[in-house]
Amino acid sequence: MENSVRIIPIECKFGPVSAFAYYVDAIEPAIIDTGVHISATQDIEPVLAEHSIRMEDIRWILLTHGHVDHLGGAYAVWEKTGRRAKVVIPKKEARLLRNRNEQIVDYKALQGKYITDLAIQEKHMAMLTTDIGGNIEPELEVKDGDQISLGGDLSLTVVETPGHSIGSVTFVLDGLNFAFAADAVQMYGGLSGLPTIEKPRLYRESIHRLLEEVRPSRLYLGHPFRNIKGELQSAQITGDEVTSVLRASLDMDAKLVDIVQRHLAGDTRTNESDGLYGPFESIAAELGYTGDPRHLPCTFFVTMHGYQEEINERGKIE
């Protein structure tokens, strides 16, 4: 294998938010994640054209997880390949690609529990389905240890890194150890200033696995995330910064564990709404969190729900 492979980061912008897709240059070219529906035409196609790459040449569409800002553009990208590209998604989240209405099921189970304004709920649910171009039957539903050949001696290995979502995976470029982790690594949070973590225990286990087992030489993330100073960092990380970013993610989790346990231990409420931050007002105050949890993505409610669940299940967070 060559010492490097051309990776083209593509920033997919929608509203105040952006998510990264990554083109992997190979005999069978791949794109990892796809932004939302408009991203195929608005961002992915023009960026690739700047590099003299045609959309119809893409042979693999690899999705790290099932959230709308990463799989929403899959249908449009697939269409632009003449429906020839093979679409791949983690087995645990394939339902979100196969039937976009499953996004609504997840919404109601997470942030929807805390948003009592029905008009806001309806707006969110409409946005979630609109941002997905259409349903796709995946070519492959992958699990931990699966390999995907991109032709020649270039391949990717699937590493399950759940936590941000139940089925999140990292695609690791074999031999080079480039890790396309998307949102499995969150540092101190994204634009909202808080990481989005559905399953905190799995999240910290995944970070430890990346840090101690995978040991990436490069880390390709789904968004720019914040450092301890609150500054947004590049979504493409190399060298010693990889370890720093992974450790920062664990540090933020430890901070959240401490605060959440002090405020929520023995409290099993999951849907009371005492104000803007629901049953988590005191946590928002200690964190100095001022984001509006009613805006998609509803990071605050998703993450607080995850930590509350862990306390309810285990009595405490270990």
Side-chain angles (χ1 to χ4, degrees):
M1 180 184 295
E2 297 181 8
N3 292 329
S4 191
V5 172
R6 181 169 64 153
I7 308 297
I8 301 174
I10 304 168
E11 187 175 9
C12 302
K13 300 176 182 178
F14 33 95
V17 183
S18 64
F20 275 90
Y22 294 99
Y23 175 86
V24 182
D25 199 5
I27 294 172
E28 297 182 21
I31 191 158
I32 299 176
D33 288 339
T34 58
V36 296
H37 180 56
I38 61 169
S39 301
T41 301
Q42 175 183 279
D43 302 297
I44 296 172
E45 190 167 34
V47 169
L48 292 182
E50 290 173 7
H51 295 270
S52 301
I53 297 166
R54 304 179 309 166
M55 293 286 278
E56 54 263 39
D57 293 336
I58 294 171
R59 287 293 171 265
W60 294 93
I61 298 169
L62 308 176
L63 304 171
T64 58
H65 62 296
H67 288 167
V68 171
D69 53 338
H70 295 267
L71 70 59
Y75 186 87
V77 172
W78 181 60
E79 286 273 294
K80 285 180 176 291
T81 70
R83 299 192 171 192
R84 291 193 300 270
K86 296 177 181 178
V87 184
V88 178
I89 192 168
K91 186 177 184 66
K92 292 177 182 175
E93 299 194 5
R95 63 185 177 84
L96 297 167
L97 180 69
R98 189 174 280 119
N99 180 359
R100 63 184 177 179
N101 289 324
E102 287 292 308
Q103 301 282 345
I104 305 305
V105 174
D106 280 10
Y107 172 84
K108 289 181 176 179
L110 295 171
Q111 58 263 51
K113 294 168 69 74
Y114 305 94
I115 296 172
T116 55
D117 187 321
L118 294 180
I120 293 177
Q121 278 196 13
E122 290 296 327
K123 178 184 175 183
H124 285 174
M125 290 187 286
M127 289 171 67
L128 287 169
T129 52
T130 300
D131 282 341
I132 297 177
N135 300 327
I136 305 176
E137 184 63 33
E139 179 83 19
L140 290 174
E141 298 178 24
V142 292
K143 60 186 186 306
D144 197 63
D146 286 349
Q147 271 196 325
I148 297 165
S149 173
L150 302 184
D153 60 355
L154 197 62
S155 62
L156 293 156
T157 294
V158 176
V159 177
E160 290 185 358
T161 46
H164 168 68
S165 70
I166 191 66
S168 291
V169 302
T170 294
F171 293 103
V172 179
L173 202 54
D174 296 323
L176 293 171
N177 244 26
F178 295 178
F180 298 88
D183 295 358
V185 177
Q186 297 255 328
M187 296 181 69
Y188 287 87
L191 198 62
S192 73
L194 196 70
T196 307
I197 304 172
E198 292 182 11
K199 299 290 182 182
R201 179 180 61 82
L202 297 179
Y203 177 79
R204 69 184 68 98
E205 288 175 359
S206 294
I207 300 294
H208 276 293
R209 185 177 185 191
L210 288 169
L211 189 61
E212 297 154 15
E213 180 184 327
V214 177
R215 299 179 182 178
S217 61
R218 296 186 190 177
L219 199 56
Y220 292 94
L221 303 183
H223 308 270
F225 291 107
R226 297 185 187 276
N227 62 18
I228 194 169
K229 297 178 182 178
E231 303 161 336
L232 286 171
Q233 302 296 287
S234 170
Q236 297 87 47
I237 298 120
T238 61
D240 294 340
E241 282 299 304
V242 171
T243 299
S244 299
V245 164
L246 292 171
R247 292 198 181 282
S249 301
L250 290 173
D251 289 345
M252 183 57 175
D253 169 65
K255 177 181 178 179
L256 289 171
V257 167
D258 172 61
I259 293 173
V260 168
Q261 285 197 138
R262 284 190 283 104
H263 287 264
L264 296 184
D267 185 351
T268 59
R269 294 177 299 171
T270 59
N271 58 5
E272 289 184 30
S273 182
D274 302 324
L276 183 61
Y277 298 104
F280 312 117
E281 289 279 355
S282 61
I283 295 174
E286 181 166 343
L287 285 169
Y289 186 80
T290 58
D292 190 334
R294 299 167 300 183
H295 292 166
L296 279 180
C298 307
T299 296
F300 183 81
F301 285 143
V302 170
T303 299
M304 289 303 107
H305 178 80
Y307 282 90
Q308 174 75 82
E309 268 197 332
E310 186 171 356
I311 289 174
N312 292 349
E313 291 169 4
R314 301 161 69 94
K316 65 175 183 176
I317 303 176
E318 298 175 354

